[in-house]
Amino acid sequence: VAGTTRALVDTPGAIATAQWGAMLPRAVVGMIALLLGNAFIVGINQIFDKDIDVLNKPFLPVASGEMSEKVAWLAVGASGIIGPAIVYNFFPTLLFKLYMLGWTLGAIYSVPPIRTKRNA
């Protein structure tokens, strides 16, 4: 937010001359890709932490049984494929690489044997 605000302050007229018709749809597509990336990472975490979450966070969908592990894996798989595909097809290669770095780090946070999460 601070960076965006600073860029707008340093570029007078940026809002008035922006091509909103081109930028807004692309921003929405980017937001969808980010939400899918978040669903992928959070979904993996909930699947692998189910036993811990039953005690500590019983309100979560997988821990509460509201969502089966099978459905959770389907959601994780779909979001883990569709999110990167969106970024790959609609954004520059650098953004795809950064997205995949976050995607990978988010996955290894919860997945054995690398699992970087401390309270496992």
Side-chain angles (χ1 to χ4, degrees):
V1 174
T4 302
T5 303
R6 178 63 192 220
L8 292 172
V9 168
D10 288 347
T11 313
I15 293 175
T17 60
Q19 297 175 354
W20 294 107
M23 292 185 344
L24 193 57
R26 190 173 177 133
V28 169
V29 169
M31 184 180 67
I32 291 168
L34 289 172
L35 290 171
L36 287 167
N38 182 260
F40 171 76
I41 293 167
V42 171
I44 284 181
N45 183 273
Q46 285 195 35
I47 292 167
F48 281 96
D49 285 359
K50 181 180 178 185
D51 295 336
I52 297 167
D53 289 345
V54 166
L55 300 172
N56 296 332
K57 299 177 185 176
F59 53 86
L60 294 175
V62 176
S64 69
E66 184 179 338
M67 178 183 281
S68 71
E69 280 192 49
K70 182 180 179 179
V71 172
W73 275 115
L74 288 171
V76 164
S79 61
I81 292 169
I82 297 169
I86 289 171
V87 177
Y88 182 81
N89 286 299
F90 289 95
F91 296 95
T93 304
L94 176 61
L95 289 181
F96 175 71
K97 289 178 181 179
L98 289 170
Y99 183 92
M100 291 310 296
L101 176 65
W103 187 94
T104 303
L105 292 174
I108 66 172
Y109 174 75
S110 296
V111 178
I114 298 173
R115 191 174 174 105
T116 60
K117 190 170 186 176
R118 290 185 182 191
N119 62 347

